[in-house]
Amino acid sequence: YQRWDYCGAPRCLDEEKYCWDGLQKSYRGPKQTTRKGKQCQKWTVQSPHKHSRTEANYPDTGLGDHNYCSPNSGLGDHNYCRNPDNEEGGAWCYTTNPYQRWDYCSAPRCTDSDKYCWDGLQKSYRGPKQTTRKGKQCQKWTAQSPHKHSRTETNYPDEGL
């Protein structure tokens, strides 16, 4: 008999990687226009608007280039909408319009279903799936019967078991 099997959880769509919750501080999508359609100014450029929102001034906010998978992918040499300073209105950018300094962006909001999909190794999957792809009932991570295992919260405290 088989001790384990894959779950068959749904794979995330590309657009789900670039959605936001809350203040949009973690938004890392490629949106580069404001909600009024203005083009965003690169974060590394000081014209037409001089500003202090730079990688050097915000080193702990996930700043860097536009590699979405990197934890260091907030501000950098791109013009994508971000929220490095916890603006209550969410992701924003400086505009290339000399008469409008900045504006908020219309980044897509995450839905509940986004939490229940996976990408890559499925390590961040936290969905409600309780059966394997072959239809077998999953054993609770907290149970040691019928299968004894070492995948416990004590052994893997940061894995969401």
Side-chain angles (χ1 to χ4, degrees), residues 42-81:
K42 276 189 170 188
W43 294 98
T44 53
V45 172
Q46 294 292 322
S47 175
H49 305 289
K50 285 190 97 156
H51 62 89
S52 63
R53 303 316 188 272
T54 64
E55 188 173 357
N57 291 342
Y58 288 79
D60 298 325
T61 56
L63 310 178
D65 65 23
H66 58 276
N67 177 356
Y68 309 126
C69 297
S70 167
N72 189 20
S73 60
L75 305 181
D77 192 27
H78 61 76
N79 65 338
Y80 302 140
C81 300

Side-chain angles (χ1 to χ4, degrees), residues 126-141:
R126 297 295 181 268
K129 193 116 174 89
Q130 297 179 31
T131 55
T132 70
R133 63 184 176 182
K134 293 179 182 173
K136 301 279 187 197
Q137 185 68 34
C138 294
Q139 175 179 314
K140 289 185 178 184
W141 292 105

Side-chain angles (χ1 to χ4, degrees), residues 57-128:
N57 291 342
Y58 288 79
D60 298 325
T61 56
L63 310 178
D65 65 23
H66 58 276
N67 177 356
Y68 309 126
C69 297
S70 167
N72 189 20
S73 60
L75 305 181
D77 192 27
H78 61 76
N79 65 338
Y80 302 140
C81 300
R82 298 292 185 256
N83 189 5
D85 54 359
N86 292 317
E87 276 293 324
E88 285 189 30
W92 61 277
C93 69
Y94 294 104
T95 76
T96 57
N97 181 328
Y99 302 106
Q100 183 172 3
R101 182 169 170 78
W102 69 276
D103 195 9
Y104 292 111
C105 301
S106 297
R109 187 174 185 100
C110 296
T111 62
D112 283 342
S113 66
D114 298 334
K115 298 174 197 155
Y116 305 136
C117 62
W118 63 271
D119 193 35
L121 294 176
Q122 304 182 24
K123 193 170 178 153
S124 64
Y125 175 74
R126 297 295 181 268

Side-chain angles (χ1 to χ4, degrees), residues 12-28:
C12 295
L13 303 173
D14 278 347
E15 60 267 15
E16 291 168 333
K17 295 178 197 172
Y18 309 128
C19 61
W20 61 271
D21 271 327
L23 293 176
Q24 304 180 15
K25 190 161 178 65
S26 63
Y27 174 70
R28 293 296 180 263

